[in-house]
Structure formats: C-alpha cells, structure tokens
Amino acid sequence: MSARSAALAAITLTALAGCVQTELRGTGDLGVIIERAAGRVQIVDTTRETKLGAVEGLGDLSHASVVFSRDGRYAYVFGRDGGLTKVDLLRMRIDVRVVQSGNSIGGAISQDGRLIAAANYTPGGVRVFDAETLELLADIPAAYGDGSQRAKVVGLEDSAGNQFAFSLFEAGQIWVADLSEPRVPKLTKFKDVGRQPYDALVTPDGRYYLAGLFGEDGVAMLDLWHPERGVKRVLAGYGRGEQPLPVYKMPHLEGWAMAGSLAFLPAVGRHEVLVVDTATWREAGRIKVAGQPVFVMARPDGRQVWVNFAFPENEKVQVIDVETQTIVKTLVPGKAVLHMEFTPRGEAVWISARDDSRVLVYDTATLELRSLLLVDNPSGIFFTSRAFRMGL
Amino acid sequence: MSALLFAASLAAAQTVGAARQKELVRLVRQDCGSCHGMTLNGGLGPPLTPQALKQKPAEGLKATILGGRPGTPMPPWGAFMTEAEADWIVNELLKGFPNER
C-alpha cells in the first residue's frame, strides 16, 4: 500500500470509528493518567499539556500500572482487580479487555513487543498474553515450599531475549522466565535471595535485576547476563542496625534513577535516598529527605532526581541536584502526591495530587508550575516514551 | 449482629464526629488501601472485608491498627488517630466499610 492510500485508509477508518479523531497524528507525545476511583484513564497530550479524552470501564484501578505497545498506539492497563485492558490511544476506546486474575499488581511487555506478562497476587503467579489479542499463552504459578503455597508476585520486569524476571514476596525468591517459546516458558529459580522482596527494577540495558527487600536492609541483585553467578546482596545492612521507621506506603522501584555511574534508590524505613556506585555496587552516599521516599526518579538527562513520599509527608516533592547530592528545592504540589512522570526529554514533569484531584506540570529548569489539569483522584501517570525503554 | 456490638458501634460513633468520620473513611480507603486495596479486598496486605475479619477479635484488630504488626509491613497508625477512632474503624470494617462520599 502506498503512503497516500495508507493515509486515506487511516482517515476512512477514523471516520468509521465515529470521528473521535479527525486529524492524523503521532503518539509520541501522548500519555495516560489513571483516575483510580473512577476506573477511568485520561489520555493526555504532553505538547499542548491538555487532556484529549477519557476511556472508562477499566475496573478497580486503585493500584494500576501501564505499559505501551512498541508502536506507541496502545496502552496496556493493569488493574488491581486483575483486569488487563488494551486501550487504543488514538481512537480513545478499549480495544480488548480481559479479567485475568483476582488481584494483580502490574506487568511488563516483552522485548519484541509480542507478549504481555501480568504479575498477580491472587492467585500468586505470572500470566503471559498475546499482546495483540490478549489470548492467554502461559500460566506460571508462583508455587513454593511444598508446592501448595503460592506467593504474591512483585517486581515483574522485562529483559533481553524475551525474558521476564520477577520476585516472590513471601518466598524470598527471584525467578527468570524465558519466553522465547511463549507457550513453553523455561524457568530458572533463585532461592533465599532475602526476606520479603517488595518491588524490583531492571537497569536500562536490561542487565541487572535488583529487588528491594522489605524484611531486611539490602537489595538482591541478579546479573541477567550471567545468571549462573547467582543472586548477590548489595547495600546489605544500610540501616546500620537502627530500628527502622514505620513505612506508611511501600516504596516503588519502577524506573531507574541513574546519573552517570550513580544510581539513586529509596531506603526502606529510613528517610533517606541511597546513592549506589554501579561500578562497584557499593554505597556512595545517602541523602536525608523529608520522609519515606516512594518514587525516586531521575530526570532523563540525569542531572536531577525527584522524590515523593509516603503518608504523612505526601504533600511534598523534593528535587535533588545530582552533582552536589543536595536538595535544591522542596515543592508542595498538593495533597497526596502519588506519582511523577517526566516528558520524554525531561523539560517538564507531571505530578499527580490525588486528594486535590489535580495534575500539576512543572518546568524542570525553573522548578516553577506551568500548567494544571483537573483529573479525578489521579494516581499513576504514564507517557508513551516508556515503550522504548527496557523495564518500563 | 449482637446487641452488644451494636451498642459498642453506637458508642464509638458518638465519640467520633461526622467530619472526622469522613476523614477516617478517606484514610482507610486511600492510605490503608495502598496495601489492602481501595475496595479492601487485599493487595500486599490481607483483605479487610467483614468476611475476612469475622473470626478475628475486635480488640486484636484495634491493637494491630494502633500498634502495627512487627515483622510484617503493617505500620502503627496510633500517631494519627485516637483509640476511639480505631474502635470506630474496627466496627465499620466488621459491618462492611463505608464508601467515600
């Protein structure tokens, strides 16, 4: 088909779809914002800093996360109630929806974009779906102990070779599933990695899988290039034996706050951001912050790290200057700040303030507010630039 | 429901004003909900539905809310509410927790 006839076909399809969208457009500056109480997502345009429309009927989104198809057209929304919904960002409607478990935490898309994996709490395990149709391809129960118990799965991340790595909360295990044959997953299991892994991330090159531990101070690290070397403990004992502070919301390790060779991670039960040298995997510093950090996210150029906090410090956001490892600004965007997302090249950051029903857009150079959008109880904010990054 | 429990819930309601009740409903749905689910059907934390809690003594639930559960991620909430408010939350959980608005 020529470019011209393809364009005509696209216009015709759009017209048939009821003129939701009347112009051709790309999706590189689109994103979705979760309206957690309403079971709805808002589709937003990060260039014009506006809402374009809403898609309803996504179930319980009280904990929701999103991955994008590699063409940037579809958002896969993982809901708390096990719903997995493929949303068409251009037509602003549901393309396919399945309820794949009783209780889910999130998911990932494979390197080749053909597989969607969902991490489930109930029943504990991972399910893998065809990205186009959401047909179930593989079911991986997170059985441990004598095999009758099933663990909650957390920290599901994609890696090279259509692999997914994930952690078993109660079991203290990390599993790697090779889905090069999607219907026949090959599992490698690592036991005794540490107590209560609660979330994980993968480095942007897909090489290192790091699971944060809740039950002890430390991070379990697996080199996916060399799984035969096993899981190693890094940052062990970072609390130095002090009694941990209460954690009113679990930190998230999504994303990789990395600047040069330094990585920035939330401490658990300490009001600190930990700085790690990724050449040696040793602690390279720690920065005192306003509360229990939840998200610790680097601006895409790595010059700043933005941090939000658990209840009761959840009105604040602190900005760390990476070169000096100091806090340069404490912002108070609003009540119950839940998430932050940088625009693809980081000139702006979008911040959700749940209890104010607002999303605030800050200029990351001036640290000034530049736009405000009204969104009903917003939580996660996800931009299509994630489609091109491993681990997001 | 027993007359005793009803009387207890009435007493708790009397000591927790309507405006504060509204705040507590939001706290439970949103902040407890970040682990237990906004619908309280469970997440990383266990479900807090009447069905899930019916075998558990109210005093123990109150102690868990105020003091947390060491060795688990459940933190103590005693700094953010009174004992009467924790009683009110327990009573409402056992009845089926109210929705916001």
Side-chain angles (χ1 to χ4, degrees), chain A residues 90-110:
Chain A
L90 290 177
R91 291 196 174 122
M92 290 193 266
R93 67 181 192 201
I94 293 173
D95 184 66
V96 198
R97 175 173 160 81
V98 295
V99 176
Q100 54 88 29
S101 79
N103 198 320
S104 175
I105 184 66
I109 186 163
S110 62

Side-chain angles (χ1 to χ4, degrees), chain B residues 12-89:
Chain B
Q14 279 163 356
T15 54
V16 181
R20 181 60 181 155
Q21 287 183 16
K22 202 176 160 199
E23 286 175 8
L24 291 174
V25 168
R26 183 152 190 95
L27 180 85
V28 171
R29 289 276 169 200
Q30 301 292 338
D31 294 302
C32 304
S34 67
C35 279
H36 296 280
M38 206 165 53
T39 60
L40 306 179
N41 282 307
L44 200 62
L48 301 179
T49 54
Q51 181 70 17
L53 298 178
K54 68 181 178 189
Q55 305 294 349
K56 309 207 188 268
E59 273 307 307
L61 294 171
K62 176 179 157 185
T64 296
I65 292 172
L66 293 172
R69 289 191 69 179
T72 78
M74 177 67 182
W77 294 82
F80 307 105
M81 65 184 70
T82 64
E83 287 204 28
E85 289 168 355
D87 276 329
W88 182 82
I89 289 172

Side-chain angles (χ1 to χ4, degrees), chain A residues 36-38 60-63 80 103 121 152 154 169-170 195-196 198 214 246-250 311-312 314 336 338 354-356 376-377, chain B residues 26-27 29-46 66 71-80 100-101:
Chain A
R36 70 199 297 265
D60 175 4
L61 298 183
S62 59
H63 188 291
R80 166 62 85 197
N103 198 320
Y121 282 169
K152 298 185 186 84
V154 298
F169 178 72
E170 294 89 342
R195 287 189 59 222
Q196 296 171 325
Y198 66 90
F214 188 86
V247 176
Y248 292 99
K249 182 179 166 72
M250 282 290 198
F311 175 89
N314 54 358
L338 291 189
R354 182 195 68 205
D355 289 0
D356 288 339
D376 180 19
N377 286 276
Chain B
R26 183 152 190 95
L27 180 85
R29 289 276 169 200
Q30 301 292 338
D31 294 302
C32 304
S34 67
C35 279
H36 296 280
M38 206 165 53
T39 60
L40 306 179
N41 282 307
L44 200 62
L66 293 172
T72 78
M74 177 67 182
W77 294 82
F80 307 105
E100 287 190 71
R101 286 187 277 266

Side-chain angles (χ1 to χ4, degrees), chain A residues 292-315:
Chain A
Q292 167 66 53
V294 175
F295 284 101
V296 175
M297 302 177 93
R299 199 171 72 175
D301 66 354
R303 194 171 179 184
Q304 295 171 348
V305 168
W306 290 55
V307 187
N308 78 323
F309 302 99
F311 175 89
E313 302 300 331
N314 54 358
E315 299 191 355

